[in-house]
Amino acid sequence: MTKKQTCIFLIIVAAVIAALITGIVLTDGLYERDATIQETMQDVVLHERDKISLFGLAVNPGLISAFIVTGVILVFAAIVRIFVIPKFKLIPGKFQMLLEQAVGAFGGLARSNSPHKNGFLGAYIFAAGAYIFIGTLFELVGVPAVTAAGECVILPAPLSDINGAITLGCLSYLVILSGGIAANRLRGAGRTLKEFSLPVSMSFRMFGALLSGALVTELVYSYLALSFVLPVIVGVLFTVLHAIIQAYVLTMLTSLFYGEVSEPYVKKPKKQREKKVSSKTEVVQ
Amino acid sequence: MPLQLAAVPLNIDWQQILLHLLNFVILFAGLWLLLYKPVRSFMQKRREHYEKMDADAEKKQAEAEKARAEYEEKLAGAEQEIASQRRAAELQAEEYGARQRREAEELAKSILAEARADAARIRAQAEKDARADVAAIVTDAVEKLALKESASTAYDQFLAAVDAQSAASKKPAKGARTEKDHD
């Protein structure tokens, strides 16, 4: 590159930056919020003002996100089923390998944590993992929607809605319970019910993790000074990390507890009991 | 009568929970049918295919090992068989040589016997011829004596004729002796 070309390049870059800054400053007033940041963040948590009408029902934006995410995943799965899977080869290509890795990873997680019974578990954690991962990445797209009050909102991740998080937490608990009952009948049910705090902890863990991400993002976007460079890290990196971590945590916990409650009961031999009793009596003496 | 939202903390809505549940059940069923099951099925078939290939390869290897052991066993047997056949061939060759030698000896004996018979026959013939010649000479001499010469002259002629006849008859007799010595 000659000196002349370098000068032209630098002038163009400087002009573009100046134009962008001018535009940002001039358009700042157009996007002034009606609510304060406190009210906005309260809305993110409680969704009292930004409900969306779904066939006459006032629902949280997270539910609309959930439907969209499900639709996208199912359309993708249908396309893959029709056009890709019939052309699978013994020596896989890149996309086939990606699909096999995804399915194999969740199948392997189920098999390693629950070696005795894992057929249904593998399918469940695959669906849950895909839902959490893609649902969390969904907030990066920034799909707009109109609220019942006529305001515009950006659709959040489905699981940043407390109802979505409770659904997945409780459903995971029910899956664990069903695995316990299927493998060990009443003993399995007892083992699962012993962990009664599990649905609450799983639900609120996921809700808290995703909500905190949404709150931080909202906070960052609320200030002009934080709108340069930082959203790239906060918006993309944190969201991607959230997606991976939350998908892994819920699926791992579910498969772990499922394996624990579906483990076959092994009766302790009598000799050990007798030995224990005799050793206790010796200690007492 | 609809539930009061304000009564539930954090705006938890049971209706929306059920909607989320419905959404996830649809997602689970769809993913299981469209993606999870077919991919798992394909992976399972591929695993079975490779396991079958592995089993076939092991089976073929075992068969090859068995065939190799059999071949080595046969090879060891063949070497023994070759040695025994070589011994048999040597014996057969020795026997054949001995038979040939015997036949040659027999042939030589028969040739010698024939030669002796021929020699005896020739000698007898020569003696017979000599006697006839002597008789002829004697007859001739007697005729000459009786007709022309005196007795002493006749006798001298007779002696000369005998000497000449004996000198002539010595040559075949000497040849016959040489053949006898030769035998």
Side-chain angles (χ1 to χ4, degrees):
Chain A
M1 192 181 275
T2 60
K3 275 188 177 179
K4 192 181 174 183
Q5 285 175 329
T6 311
C7 285
I8 292 169
F9 175 74
L10 289 174
I11 288 166
I12 290 170
V13 169
V16 168
I17 290 170
L20 284 173
I21 291 171
T22 311
I24 291 162
V25 171
L26 287 176
T27 55
D28 189 36
L30 296 176
Y31 296 96
E32 279 182 356
R33 290 165 183 267
D34 295 334
T36 61
I37 183 65
Q38 288 83 2
E39 287 171 341
T40 306
M41 292 178 77
Q42 192 177 345
D43 264 359
V44 170
V45 180
L46 298 175
H47 304 289
E48 283 175 339
R49 291 197 315 158
D50 59 356
K51 289 200 180 297
I52 295 173
S53 176
L54 177 74
F55 304 114
L57 287 172
V59 297
N60 294 346
L63 185 62
I64 305 297
S65 304
F67 288 148
I68 292 173
V69 168
T70 298
V72 168
I73 293 173
L74 287 182
V75 168
F76 171 77
I79 290 169
V80 168
R81 179 70 187 88
I82 294 166
F83 296 109
V84 180
I85 290 177
K87 293 176 183 172
F88 268 12
K89 293 171 184 171
L90 283 178
I91 299 166
K94 286 177 185 172
F95 187 63
Q96 184 185 339
M97 196 177 281
L98 182 73
L99 285 175
E100 287 184 8
Q101 280 292 322
V103 171
F106 287 109
L109 187 69
R111 201 166 40 251
S112 62
N113 286 310
S114 176
H116 305 288
K117 198 172 182 65
N118 52 42
F120 177 76
L121 177 66
Y124 174 75
I125 61 171
F126 175 71
Y131 182 60
I132 297 168
F133 183 74
I134 296 169
T136 309
L137 291 183
F138 175 76
E139 71 181 14
L140 279 179
V141 182
V143 177
V146 180
T147 63
E151 292 177 357
C152 180
V153 288
I154 301 299
L155 291 178
L159 295 170
S160 65
D161 180 6
I162 182 76
N163 299 316
I166 287 174
T167 302
L168 207 56
C170 291
L171 188 62
S172 298
Y173 185 71
L174 286 176
V175 168
I176 293 166
L177 181 67
S178 69
I181 292 170
N184 293 318
R185 308 293 171 199
L186 274 176
R187 193 180 297 278
R191 281 179 185 173
T192 314
L193 292 173
K194 196 172 68 180
E195 307 284 347
F196 61 90
S197 63
L198 198 59
V200 179
S201 70
M202 283 206 290
S203 303
F204 282 89
R205 180 186 294 113
M206 197 154 30
F207 174 63
L210 290 166
L211 184 70
S212 61
L215 287 176
V216 171
T217 312
E218 194 69 33
L219 197 62
V220 168
Y221 288 165
S222 296
Y223 295 101
L224 179 66
L226 296 174
S227 296
F228 298 96
V229 182
L230 202 57
V232 175
I233 300 167
V234 175
V236 179
L237 198 63
F238 282 9
T239 310
V240 171
L241 278 173
H242 260 137
I244 295 168
I245 292 167
Q246 291 312 313
Y248 177 71
V249 166
L250 185 111
T251 54
M252 195 269 288
L253 281 176
T254 306
S255 56
L256 202 68
F257 280 106
Y258 191 97
E260 196 177 306
V261 299
S262 64
E263 192 178 357
Y265 174 69
V266 181
K267 204 173 182 180
K268 287 181 182 176
K270 285 183 178 178
K271 284 182 179 177
Q272 286 183 355
R273 286 184 182 176
E274 286 171 4
K275 278 182 182 177
K276 280 181 182 175
V277 170
S278 62
S279 62
K280 278 182 182 175
T281 50
E282 283 172 4
V283 169
V284 169
Q285 285 171 358
Chain B
M1 187 179 173
L3 290 169
Q4 294 293 319
L5 292 175
V8 185
L10 281 173
N11 210 356
I12 295 168
D13 188 341
W14 299 109
Q15 193 179 38
Q16 288 190 45
I17 288 174
L18 289 176
L19 282 167
H20 271 287
L21 194 61
L22 173 71
N23 174 58
F24 187 77
V25 167
I26 292 168
L27 175 71
F28 169 72
L31 269 184
W32 185 68
L33 280 173
L34 295 172
L35 212 60
Y36 189 78
K37 193 181 167 188
V39 174
R40 288 275 292 187
S41 166
F42 176 81
M43 288 164 74
Q44 181 67 25
K45 278 180 188 168
R46 185 175 56 193
R47 188 181 299 114
E48 284 170 3
H49 172 74
Y50 282 121
E51 281 174 357
K52 188 173 174 289
M53 274 178 71
D54 199 24
D56 286 347
E58 280 181 5
K59 191 180 170 186
K60 280 180 183 173
Q61 193 177 359
E63 283 175 1
E65 290 287 336
K66 192 181 170 186
R68 187 182 168 186
E70 283 176 2
Y71 169 75
E72 283 176 356
E73 195 178 337
K74 278 182 182 175
L75 199 65
E79 281 174 0
Q80 285 178 354
E81 195 178 337
I82 287 167
S84 66
Q85 281 187 356
R86 186 180 292 158
R87 277 196 300 276
E90 282 171 1
L91 285 172
Q92 200 175 0
E94 281 175 11
E95 192 181 335
Y96 179 74
R99 194 171 65 237
Q100 288 289 320
R101 203 162 41 245
R102 267 198 313 277
E103 283 175 3
E105 283 173 358
E106 282 171 8
L107 186 64
K109 279 178 185 174
S110 68
I111 289 168
L112 190 61
E114 278 178 14
R116 279 179 182 163
D118 284 347
R121 186 170 47 79
I122 289 166
R123 191 170 60 191
Q125 186 64 38
E127 282 177 358
K128 186 180 174 184
D129 290 345
R131 277 195 198 100
D133 288 345
V134 167
I137 290 165
V138 169
T139 307
D140 198 25
V142 169
E143 280 177 357
K144 283 178 180 174
L145 282 173
L147 296 172
K148 298 175 183 175
E149 310 239 342
S150 62
S152 61
T153 311
Y155 184 71
D156 290 339
Q157 285 179 347
F158 170 72
L159 288 175
V162 169
D163 288 341
Q165 185 63 40
S166 63
S169 65
K170 267 182 185 177
K171 277 184 184 175
K174 196 175 184 179
R177 195 181 299 123
T178 310
E179 280 177 5
K180 189 180 177 183
D181 293 342
H182 206 64
D183 290 340

